[in-house]
Amino acid sequence: MNVVDKIVTLEQKESVRLDPDRLNGLYRQLGDTNAVDVLCRTVEELAVRLSNCERLWRQRDWAGLRKCAKSLVAISEQVGMTALARVAGDVARTVDAGDAVATGATLSRLIRVGERSLTAVWDQQDLSI
């Protein structure tokens, strides 16, 4: 048997959860036009903060990474991105525990969940640039 025959490729797919009640409440509270505006700005801000988290990880700025992850929790909860909020909280907890390996793994998961969450909100709301 060839060694190459033993290679297995793992495909990582993350499920995301959106709280439709939270999104619907946002639309009821702000109206359609204002809610879309808020969601567009929120999606942009979340994308920037996800990128910042990755940069802070590369710089080994643990305090900055923790702060950035906690801000992702707060923002994502406001628009009903429950999975993103949970994983961002996990990143903050691994930083608090001083576990760099777990932080790296959890941050990778945060990036995957973040990308899928942003796409899900974008698709669900049929937002356009």
Side-chain angles (χ1 to χ4, degrees):
M1 179 189 302
N2 189 339
V3 175
V4 175
D5 294 334
K6 295 181 182 180
I7 295 175
V8 176
T9 302
L10 300 177
E11 188 175 326
Q12 298 177 345
K13 289 189 175 181
E14 299 290 347
S15 62
V16 298
R17 287 188 230 43
L18 300 176
D19 182 352
D21 293 335
R22 186 82 44 111
L23 287 173
N24 290 334
L26 188 65
Y27 274 82
R28 278 192 308 276
Q29 181 182 8
L30 301 176
D32 288 352
T33 302
N34 290 334
V36 168
D37 184 47
V38 166
L39 281 174
C40 285
R41 284 186 281 127
T42 301
V43 165
E44 285 180 33
E45 186 62 29
L46 288 170
V48 167
R49 289 180 191 237
L50 285 166
S51 177
N52 288 343
C53 281
E54 194 170 20
R55 178 182 48 79
L56 293 163
W57 158 255
R58 285 191 311 273
Q59 294 172 345
R60 302 297 191 243
D61 180 349
W62 305 119
L65 176 56
R66 182 187 189 286
K67 182 178 178 182
C68 192
K70 294 297 271 184
S71 72
L72 281 169
V73 172
I75 296 169
S76 57
E77 283 178 343
Q78 290 176 345
V79 293
M81 294 182 181
T82 56
L84 182 59
R86 184 177 39 78
V87 178
D90 292 343
V91 169
R93 282 187 286 284
T94 61
V95 170
D96 289 343
D99 189 338
V101 173
T103 300
T106 310
L107 177 63
S108 293
R109 183 161 190 243
L110 176 64
I111 301 302
R112 290 190 306 272
V113 169
E115 289 171 353
R116 289 188 46 103
S117 295
L118 295 177
T119 300
V121 166
W122 207 259
D123 291 346
Q124 182 176 351
Q125 300 305 312
D126 193 29
L127 302 173
S128 58
I129 299 176

